Amino acid sequence: MRRIEAVNDFVIKFANVNGTGSASANHMFAKSIFRMGIPVSPRNIFPSNIQGLPTWYEVRVSQKGYLGRRGGVDILLCVNPQSMADDIQSVEPGGYFIYDSSKPLDQRLRRNDVEFIGIPFTQMCLREYDDARQRLLFKNMIYVGALAALLNIDFAVLKDLVGDQFRGKEKLITPNVHAMELGYQYATENFDCPLSIRVEHASEIGEHISYTKHILMDGNTAAGLGAIYGGATVAGWYPITPSTSVIEAFERYARRLRIDPGTGQNNFAIVQAEDELAAMGICIGAAWNGARSFTATSGPGLSLMSEFLGLAYFAEVPVVLVNVQRAGPSTGMPTRTQQPDILAAAYASHGDTKHVLLFPSTPKECFDMTAQSFDLADRLQTPIILMSDLDLGMNDHMSPPLEWDDEREFDRGKVLSAEDLDNMDERFGRYLDTDEDGIPYRTYPGTHPEKGAFFTRGSSRDVYATYTEDGEAYVHNMERLLQKFETAKEYVPAPKIKLAGKKTSVGALFFGTTASPCYEAIEMLADEGSAIDTIRIRAFPFNAEVEQFIADHDTVFVIEQNRDGQLRRLLINECELPPNKLISILHYDGLPITARSIAMSMRDSLTTNKVTPIRRKTAKKVKS
Amino acid sequence: MRRIEAVNDFVIKFANVNGTGSASANHMFAKSIFRMGIPVSPRNIFPSNIQGLPTWYEVRVSQKGYLGRRGGVDILLCVNPQSMADDIQSVEPGGYFIYDSSKPLDQRLRRNDVEFIGIPFTQMCLREYDDARQRLLFKNMIYVGALAALLNIDFAVLKDLVGDQFRGKEKLITPNVHAMELGYQYATENFDCPLSIRVEHASEIGEHISYTKHILMDGNTAAGLGAIYGGATVAGWYPITPSTSVIEAFERYARRLRIDPGTGQNNFAIVQAEDELAAMGICIGAAWNGARSFTATSGPGLSLMSEFLGLAYFAEVPVVLVNVQRAGPSTGMPTRTQQPDILAAAYASHGDTKHVLLFPSTPKECFDMTAQSFDLADRLQTPIILMSDLDLGMNDHMSPPLEWDDEREFDRGKVLSAEDLDNMDERFGRYLDTDEDGIPYRTYPGTHPEKGAFFTRGSSRDVYATYTEDGEAYVHNMERLLQKFETAKEYVPAPKIKLAGKKTSVGALFFGTTASPCYEAIEMLADEGSAIDTIRIRAFPFNAEVEQFIADHDTVFVIEQNRDGQLRRLLINECELPPNKLISILHYDGLPITARSIAMSMRDSLTTNKVTPIRRKTAKKVKS
Amino acid sequence: MSYSKPKFRHPDLPKNELGLSKTDYEGAISTLCAGCGHDSISAAILNACFEMSIEPHRVAKLSGIGCSSKSPAYFLGKSHGFNSVHGRMPSVATGANLANRDLIYIGISGDGDTASIGVGQFMHVVRRNLDMLYMVENNGCYGLTKGQDSATSDLGSATKKGRPNMYEPIDLVALALRLGATFVARSFSGDKKQLEPLIKAAITHKGFALIDVISPCVTFNNTATSTKGYEYIRSHADNMEVDFVPMREEICTSYKAGTTQQVCMHDGSSVHLHKTAADFDIHDRQAAMEAVYDHKKEGRILTGLLYMAHDSEDLHKVLDTVPKPLNALREDELCPGSRFLNSINEGLR
Amino acid sequence: MSYSKPKFRHPDLPKNELGLSKTDYEGAISTLCAGCGHDSISAAILNACFEMSIEPHRVAKLSGIGCSSKSPAYFLGKSHGFNSVHGRMPSVATGANLANRDLIYIGISGDGDTASIGVGQFMHVVRRNLDMLYMVENNGCYGLTKGQDSATSDLGSATKKGRPNMYEPIDLVALALRLGATFVARSFSGDKKQLEPLIKAAITHKGFALIDVISPCVTFNNTATSTKGYEYIRSHADNMEVDFVPMREEICTSYKAGTTQQVCMHDGSSVHLHKTAADFDIHDRQAAMEAVYDHKKEGRILTGLLYMAHDSEDLHKVLDTVPKPLNALREDELCPGSRFLNSINEGLR
Ligand SMILES: Cc1ncc(C[n+]2csc(CCOP(=O)(O)OP(=O)(O)O)c2C)c(N)n1
Ligand SMILES: Cc1ncc(C[n+]2csc(CCOP(=O)(O)OP(=O)(O)O)c2C)c(N)n1
Ligand code: SF4
Ligand code: SF4
Ligand SMILES: [Mg+2]
Ligand SMILES: [Mg+2]
């Protein structure tokens, strides 16, 4: 058997049972590698239940800084008998399978091209601990310790992490460290440590890219913090996986950062509403009344907010929605990732509507774009929908540190103060397009005793906000809304373009979490001699740069994580593009798309010179 | 002044105040002309309120059978001082303005190119009646009588109509006829009757097209009746203009046609739900349990049903929704017509979803397609959305008589009976694609004591309906749903193609109420020498014929009544078409699109040879 | 259109403490039916605000969809208003109030808007004890969509569209009492003497104040037992869109505390209103629930202020928000700036 | 996974009147947490159906979304089930029941599903008196989304996630009584002796039967006053996804009518359950409402059958539908055919 040889470049996957405390232990594992200066990207693959079902934790270790999923597993650590058979199958030839050898392995499952490492975790716990709960919990720490020995992880780093985690509960530190030591010791005594797959301190292997300033953060926490920085004061929300932690983060930070020093009271208000309709209603009411407000939701919540989103579009109320996408339709796979709500969000609600979407790709962008979305909403007086996803929102990602420009000021858009109103000669018209950019001026309720009051409604009105059924006034208003959408192109974040270095007629277009593996795939192809320019879309409406990029290439791959190629459709629709130019690469089985599969699809397409869109079928055979 | 000379070919418009009983009188007027064998198409243009605001009733009289709006008004009968100034402006040069001369006309409003006919309706009523209510009500009958004289309407026909209307309340007949006589007499005595614009019995002017078999019916009544014929037994609904009368009609007919002869009890159940979510939930529950069920709604209701529609798509529950479109977005103009929900309906709900849409164009099609939609829903196990609109739904349209083929049988689709299950060797799999058409077999609850039970859910499941988070099983299922959508193309109504007679590279594509005025516009252009082939879309997904038609033409006009050219987008998206081939002609001011404006747009486009989509701006100037 | 502005305005119209006259509290001309109870309620709100010398621009008016929900356009034209979507005004009001605790919030809803599509939001806004006046203009039917049954009791008329209401009605007053509402009242649109003081009290109350106002729909809430004239119109419009709406007068009443009054509706039917007596204990929730229940059993509708909590903690208290309106917080109070971000970054390494 | 099927089945397991044994009433293996109250309720339903000799395929199971709403998959595997969307099971059940009045409808919901997002649908299904057993598996929190407060009372635990519940709770039993529900009961998941007969009675009842079952969430509904062991885990998982769920035993209880029982929860807190006495008048709605209210004031939860109407007209009665299930009507009973169409055409000329 040829073993895989790899330093700081491999994929390890943990197979656990959920509710057994493994997530924290696995997190500590990933973080220890990160602290050694090596880029990691951990991914939690968890079931939609609370206890007793298989759950996996996949960690990509990549000195080169590839953070998307690669595809394939080099080391599998399995402490879940339920999934063991499949887990063994998933290991790459030459890889390792580490398992709990307390019970003998079913010999039929053995593979010759994989190295099996048995450690009697359960027995060790039975010997060491009396309490059932401790047995369960410390088992996780034991395997982390064993991995430290097997993979050459710096034990001191792990000890520090335990210290950090239990700060304030110091008595828990010693037993946890002890458990790790048990595992470490067992591994060193019984196996040839380290394995052929292992880590080295980045500094020691002389890597020039330094990640020491980088942070490890999940997108939802970043979005929650972005809302703090963006000045959100009101949040109405309703729990739903995978968006819940956006609001939880907002609340956690608000309790630290938004306490009024004078009174000790809150400079924010969070209401857990009765459902998503109410959550959006709360945001709309608050935004109408001049506060910055936001909510977060996922799939079904987006559908339920659709009527209210139409109101906010037509009544021109700024409001921010963080939509953390999951696998649909309907309840779908609530704990799996996808990018399937593009059309539902862009055209949410009946009638002629269009909404501004932002597509963050990293936690840093979740932070930046959430903060920015409040400026955009106020500036454009329309809902802004941040299109995150489960992979980005709920997993830790390595990211450059968060930054804030203290010179920057909130842009509250076109709001007239009492003074402005006093200085006005003409009659105030809420929907008058004074500046010819489609964006009218508004006033907050209570501003002025005599001037500036108006009636907001979801029904047709004239430029003075008076109800009307006059067809001309209606059309005039609808055309202005289109004009405003045109204006939006100037304000939304521009796409990121990376040229291949040499001239090429092939481009690739993607957004959000599809970006990382795409960049990696493009590099793979570049190594093979195929040059591909890339554009990462960061917002809808698409601006001129996007159109230009597509115009400049004969073929553009559009890579996304849904069945129907939704972003591609939106592009064709809104930029009036010839469809055959855009080649779909789709992946939507609920796990993040991998660099290998993207590279394969592109390679296929480029070599066979297909121009019709292809759909990558992940389904080989269906298990019944 | 040159007067318009027209026999059986003109537009007359009534300007009334709503809540004054004018609608019934105006209806009688239109129907009398219809009974004279002359095609009419009356349109009610009413406000979103109950009493006291301007309301109009526009009647197109067209011996040639053009039933769409033509544009322009030849005769305006105005009994509403509120709107008089604008009403006078709207009359075509050479036309007539008939008004209540009880008060003298403001001379500044007079036009020289229009003939003014003053009749003192109010004074006549004051003289004749003591009761205030009678004065209001009979005023309407008086002007109908006057019009009979002025336009040469057969008075006997009107008398018959009064008799029909008050059948069972005979004592009301005489006073109503009397009021008409008052008007008739006044007109004959004071004016040169008939006017240059007038009607003649169709038979008398020797027209070969006979409309004697035709009926006058509104689309909503037809849809309600279609649901009776289609075998609907359960309706959950929530009132909303302009869809309410669909259910009202269903109930009215059900109380006549669906009473069990044995027990005298109801063979149907109608529940006015607490909102649209519940209305759709009721339909889904009933359909899941094997009853045919449907609901009707409009704009905001469609948005609210979005989550449930996603469930029905994914869980594969047949259900029928009649969406009577109105001007959006949000509350929009609730009593005005549009076709603005195409995208919202086609892609309703988050995640990758697609829904089957039907586009009726006439009351007969409302009837046929509603009945057929139950077969389609059962056959395809998915929601079927009938896309009607206010113009079609709430106005009377002349239509060939309704027909029913007694040989036809309900197609309940793939449902296994207890016997089927007993005869099965293999294991029953609710989502097994046995026939390779994407459509699996289902069972109704309670069918068999041992076999065939399954669990329906909106979350991912395998072919045996067992919950799963397995990516392959998920993708397999999603691909099958796509396959099913492909199959749907074979079942949905085919488009109607009309070729120009001579070869042409120009085509026109339209649907629903846009069809009538389009056909008329195409004939106008044909007279001018421009040949245009037409295709009337009747369903989404679009089938091969649609694609072929577009492929066969260099330029295809897509005419629709919304701002964003939504059907055009759907076509480009789903048929992968080059957008520049499809030229939008849009109209969306809330009144039905007119033949004249379509002809003008086409003419413009054909002569200037523009190929970029144009948007017809109805808004000239905005009234404040 | 049922009430129109007087053409001529007397130069010395009575003024309130702010020096404003009633015309300063008017709104647009109503487009409701002549005699609609909702217009009487608008007038009562107008009067109450005038008499309380409330600055019109310090009021925010919110509503859902319906004839009732249109009415905020017809009073206090100098206030901002928000006519939102059907049944969801409570959430919009919640957000608005959180954004600026300094305004006075008046929510107007209908029985369809509140008891059918909006009953979930209604219940939850009661739980939040949001500081607002929540007025239900209760006509027992859906006015704007032409007369369907609503989920509230049949107010003064047993049948509409010919068929009896088939379901157990929802009594919003009882529901609110049950859910812990801190101010609960019921009145009749035509009883100014009772309604105006109730509105004043409700505006003064800190927390959620419900006034369920019986407000006859002159056009659709009609019974079979109707006058000859009415029957004529029914026949006339049979099987058609109701397209004739007779002009009606507003129904007014005035009666003493502790007495029962029979009020005759436009269609000849009647309701029996009973006013709470002077000794009614407005601080006993349980007793209020029982009184409502007992009167109902006897076919009477108890009106008046039925319950008011001794102390009431509104949502801001519960959420412990600062006294300053959240929409007035400055950027430096909201944005922690770069310094703090460094410490966050540190914690994520 | 908390209860698993026995590996070995005794050939002479007890049989019911249909000749079925309990295994014929089992469902899929539960994926709920060990010790979750919801599993006890599933077992109670299974037992009741077995003992009543109900044919499993004549039952239809309906639910919304939540841990509770998953549970219909874990009993009666031979019945059809429909796990719909969050909070909207009542409407789906309404449609299902209208389609086929011959099946037995069991709806399972959670407190989040019923009292928050679904409270509007809940109220309206009560009004319709739909013939179904509506079971709320009430744990006072959102289990599946990891422990947020729900709108029902804090059952046995004052705080979750460290902060107190801030709003007036909704008491579903009181609400249903108020709305005219015809069968209202409350019980505790671990009290088989009380729960099983209640389920049987509810299934037998013609009309809407609510059983609000207190059903501890062993994972999230925990108080600060918890045991040492628990605190350990809290600390361990601090500021992280709760990812450790200890294995627990089901909480059982059994106590006599008329007595109060203190039931200890997994986290050391307790609830005080009071069982209605033998002389409790189950036909007096007003008295039931008062009793619920009075017990609550004393910090006790009244359990048992609290109200049952003497006569109850279910929705089919109200709608006067035929006795034959609507889904079984033949085409010739539904479609009037061409003959009638001619007369319709005639009327439209
Ligand atoms: C989502 C939605 N569904 C339905 C409607 C149609 N609609 C308008 S008003 C109304 C009912 C109004 O009844 P109520 O609240 O009692 O007001 P009223 O007109 O009686 O004062 C309905 C159903 C709507 N606008 N939006
Ligand atoms: C529309 C929608 N919003 C939110 C969710 C997320 N969600 C799933 S279960 C649940 C709460 C369940 O609470 P409860 O009904 O009390 O059930 P439990 O898990 O406590 O038994 C929520 C909010 C969802 N599935 N759908
Ligand atoms: S329909 Fe009824 S509620 Fe609406 S305005 Fe007229 S009277 Fe008032
Ligand atoms: S989280 Fe709570 S409610 Fe959900 S299964 Fe676990 S114990 Fe039961
Ligand atoms: Mg009403
Ligand atoms: Mg719960």
Side-chain angles (χ1 to χ4, degrees), chain B residues 421-441:
Chain B
L421 289 164
D422 276 331
N423 294 335
M424 254 171 86
D425 295 329
E426 11 18 322
R427 177 175 168 204
F428 166 68
R430 165 69 180 108
Y431 298 107
L432 267 174
D433 188 9
T434 323
D435 304 330
E436 295 190 343
D437 57 359
I439 307 171
Y441 285 80

Side-chain angles (χ1 to χ4, degrees), chain A residues 244-452:
Chain A
T244 302
S245 51
V246 174
I247 304 290
E248 285 174 345
F250 177 70
E251 176 157 11
R252 209 163 54 239
Y253 285 120
R255 294 199 178 278
R256 258 167 85 183
L257 302 169
R258 284 286 190 74
I259 305 301
D260 178 59
T263 58
Q265 289 178 308
N266 298 327
N267 276 335
F268 66 94
I270 301 174
V271 175
Q272 182 185 318
E274 59 274 27
D275 63 13
E276 287 87 349
L277 291 91
M280 183 46 82
I282 288 170
C283 294
I284 288 176
W288 169 76
N289 215 359
R292 290 192 148 181
S293 64
F294 84 113
T295 187
T297 196
S298 305
L302 179 67
S303 286
L304 288 175
M305 289 176 183
S306 141
E307 189 196 19
F308 256 138
L309 283 170
L311 173 72
Y313 172 79
F314 196 60
E316 300 182 66
V317 180
V319 71
V320 172
L321 162 62
V322 179
N323 181 35
V324 187
Q325 297 169 93
R326 64 188 214 186
S330 196
T331 303
M333 294 195 290
T335 59
R336 293 289 189 265
T337 198
Q338 260 185 9
Q339 304 175 312
D341 299 340
I342 312 296
L343 289 175
Y347 298 135
S349 211
H350 61 282
D352 289 300
T353 55
K354 295 193 199 194
H355 302 288
V356 176
L357 313 181
L358 303 182
F359 302 106
S361 201
T362 62
K364 185 167 189 322
E365 274 190 343
C366 286
F367 172 77
D368 289 341
M369 286 186 175
T370 305
Q372 189 188 0
S373 62
F374 293 95
D375 284 357
L376 276 174
D378 273 343
R379 164 55 66 187
L380 296 167
Q381 299 177 20
T382 202
I384 307 291
I385 309 180
L386 194 85
M387 303 291 284
S388 179
D389 64 25
L390 182 142
D391 182 25
L392 176 57
M394 289 189 70
N395 288 314
D396 277 341
H397 296 260
M398 193 181 78
S399 161
L402 305 182
E403 285 164 19
W404 190 257
D405 175 4
D406 288 322
E407 298 302 302
R408 159 180 174 178
E409 269 180 46
F410 289 168
D411 179 352
R412 297 300 318 254
K414 302 186 188 178
V415 180
L416 297 178
S417 65
E419 212 188 328
D420 295 335
L421 288 165
D422 276 332
N423 293 335
M424 252 171 90
D425 294 328
E426 20 4 332
R427 177 174 168 205
F428 166 69
R430 165 69 179 108
Y431 297 108
L432 267 175
D433 188 8
T434 322
D435 305 330
E436 295 189 343
D437 57 359
I439 308 172
Y441 285 79
R442 64 178 187 137
T443 56
Y444 300 151
T447 299
H448 192 287
E450 290 293 331
K451 292 169 153 188

Side-chain angles (χ1 to χ4, degrees), chain B residues 31 34-35 161 164 212-217 221 225 228-235 253 256-258 260 263-275 277-292 307-308 311 315 317 367 400-406 408-412 443-459, chain D residues 20 24 28 55-63 65 69-86 88-101 103 105 117 120-125 127-128 315-324 326-349:
Chain B
K31 193 142 188 184
F34 173 69
R35 285 213 180 158
L161 275 166
D164 288 357
T212 48
K213 287 274 157 222
H214 278 57
I215 57 173
L216 205 57
M217 187 180 206
T221 301
L225 186 63
I228 296 275
Y229 274 76
T233 51
V234 177
Y253 285 119
R256 258 167 87 183
L257 301 170
R258 283 286 190 74
D260 178 58
T263 59
Q265 289 178 307
N266 298 326
N267 276 335
F268 66 93
I270 301 173
V271 175
Q272 182 186 317
E274 59 275 27
D275 63 13
L277 290 91
M280 183 46 80
I282 288 170
C283 294
I284 289 176
W288 169 76
N289 215 359
R292 290 191 148 181
E307 188 196 19
F308 255 138
L311 173 72
V317 180
F367 172 77
L402 305 181
E403 285 163 19
W404 189 256
D405 174 4
D406 288 322
R408 161 180 172 176
E409 269 180 43
F410 290 167
D411 178 353
R412 297 300 318 254
T443 56
Y444 300 150
T447 299
H448 192 288
E450 289 292 331
K451 290 168 153 188
F454 67 93
F455 208 77
T456 304
R457 41 165 64 85
S459 46
Chain D
L20 299 176
D24 292 308
E55 292 175 285
H57 75 295
R58 305 305 295 167
V59 174
K61 306 168 295 183
L62 300 135
S63 63
I65 299 282
S69 293
K70 281 181 178 183
S71 62
Y74 313 140
F75 60 85
L76 299 191
K78 289 176 180 166
S79 312
H80 275 66
F82 196 165
N83 189 189
S84 63
V85 289
H86 195 26
R88 319 291 176 189
M89 175 267 278
S91 62
V92 176
T94 300
N97 183 305
L98 289 177
N100 185 353
R101 58 192 298 172
L103 301 185
Y105 293 90
I117 191 168
Q121 293 221 338
F122 174 71
M123 288 178 66
H124 286 274
V125 76
R127 287 183 72 220
R128 286 184 209 119
L315 184 60
H316 282 282
K317 183 86 190 190
V318 168
L319 295 178
D320 198 24
T321 42
V322 285
K324 190 168 166 184
L326 292 179
N327 74 353
L329 292 172
R330 292 183 322 273
E331 181 156 357
D332 62 300
E333 296 170 285
L334 297 175
C335 182
S338 62
R339 204 181 43 81
F340 180 77
L341 214 44
N342 295 336
S343 84
I344 299 232
N345 284 327
E346 220 33 76
L348 295 165
R349 280 181 188 131

Side-chain angles (χ1 to χ4, degrees), chain A residues 213 229 258 274 289 406 410, chain C residues 96 105 128 327 331 334 338:
Chain A
K213 288 273 157 221
Y229 274 75
R258 284 286 190 74
E274 59 274 27
N289 215 359
D406 288 322
F410 289 168
Chain C
Y105 294 90
R128 285 184 211 119
N327 74 352
E331 181 156 357
L334 297 175
S338 63

Side-chain angles (χ1 to χ4, degrees), chain D residues 29-311:
Chain D
I29 293 175
S30 169
T31 60
L32 303 181
C33 303
C36 176
H38 302 351
D39 276 334
S40 317
I41 300 174
S42 295
I45 296 173
L46 188 161
N47 279 336
C49 290
F50 168 75
E51 286 176 15
M52 289 173 83
S53 292
I54 287 173
E55 292 175 285
H57 75 295
R58 305 305 295 167
V59 174
K61 306 168 295 183
L62 300 135
S63 63
I65 299 282
C67 294
S68 34
S69 293
K70 281 181 178 183
S71 62
Y74 313 140
F75 60 85
L76 299 191
K78 289 176 180 166
S79 312
H80 275 66
F82 196 165
N83 189 189
S84 63
V85 289
H86 195 26
R88 319 291 176 189
M89 175 267 278
S91 62
V92 176
T94 300
N97 183 305
L98 289 177
N100 185 353
R101 58 192 298 172
D102 279 357
L103 301 185
I104 291 164
Y105 293 90
I106 300 181
I108 307 284
S109 182
D111 44 330
D113 202 60
T114 289
S116 292
I117 191 168
V119 76
Q121 293 221 338
F122 174 71
M123 288 178 66
H124 286 274
V125 76
V126 170
R127 287 183 72 220
R128 286 184 209 119
N129 198 22
L130 193 76
D131 189 15
M132 75 179 296
L133 159 57
Y134 190 107
M135 182 88 86
V136 181
E137 304 189 342
N138 192 343
N139 54 16
C141 77
Y142 287 19
L144 194 54
T145 52
K146 308 209 163 175
Q148 296 82 7
D149 281 330
S150 84
T152 63
S153 46
D154 262 315
L155 298 159
S157 100
T159 69
K160 276 147 329 226
K161 298 216 160 182
R163 262 184 304 282
N165 169 29
M166 306 182 290
Y167 306 101
E168 185 78 22
I170 293 176
D171 183 325
L172 293 170
V173 153
L175 185 62
L177 284 169
R178 176 84 257 171
L179 289 168
T182 53
F183 182 110
V184 181
R186 175 126 61 197
S187 189
F188 180 76
S189 61
D191 187 357
K192 279 195 221 196
K193 282 221 186 105
Q194 184 185 50
L195 187 53
E196 289 180 20
L198 281 177
I199 293 171
K200 290 180 188 169
I203 289 178
T204 313
H205 176 70
K206 187 91 197 148
F208 190 80
L210 171 70
I211 313 184
D212 181 30
V213 191
I214 297 162
S215 175
C217 171
V218 301
T219 304
F220 296 107
N221 206 343
N222 287 307
T223 74
T225 62
S226 58
T227 60
K228 195 177 158 296
Y230 177 69
E231 205 162 33
Y232 170 79
I233 294 136
R234 269 189 85 81
S235 318
H236 198 97
D238 207 32
N239 269 353
M240 287 210 179
E241 284 284 287
V242 177
D243 75 331
F244 180 73
V245 179
M247 301 299 248
R248 310 270 201 177
E249 291 291 308
E250 169 189 7
I251 299 171
C252 293
T253 188
S254 176
Y255 60 111
K256 285 213 195 71
T259 67
T260 301
Q261 171 90 344
Q262 176 170 352
V263 178
C264 195
M265 303 305 237
H266 284 122
D267 54 20
S269 67
S270 59
V271 279
H272 295 255
L273 302 175
H274 184 88
K275 211 165 261 189
T276 52
D279 61 354
F280 188 86
D281 179 1
I282 58 163
H283 296 302
D284 185 340
R285 182 184 299 276
Q286 180 77 354
M289 289 195 275
E290 282 166 29
V292 168
Y293 196 84
D294 292 343
H295 280 76
K296 195 169 170 190
K297 271 198 296 204
E298 296 160 15
R300 292 186 299 169
I301 300 166
L302 187 64
T303 68
L305 176 52
L306 304 175
Y307 178 73
M308 200 172 108
H310 268 300
D311 40 35

Side-chain angles (χ1 to χ4, degrees), chain C residues 143-206:
Chain C
L144 193 55
T145 51
K146 307 208 163 176
Q148 295 83 8
D149 281 331
S150 84
T152 63
S153 46
D154 262 317
L155 299 158
S157 101
T159 69
K160 278 147 327 225
K161 298 216 161 184
R163 263 184 302 283
N165 169 29
M166 305 182 292
Y167 305 102
E168 185 76 25
I170 293 176
D171 184 324
L172 293 170
V173 153
L175 184 62
L177 284 169
R178 175 84 256 169
L179 290 168
T182 53
F183 181 110
V184 182
R186 175 128 60 197
S187 189
F188 180 76
S189 60
D191 187 356
K192 279 195 221 197
K193 283 222 186 102
Q194 184 184 49
L195 186 53
E196 289 180 18
L198 282 177
I199 292 172
K200 291 180 189 169
I203 288 179
T204 313
H205 177 71
K206 187 93 197 146

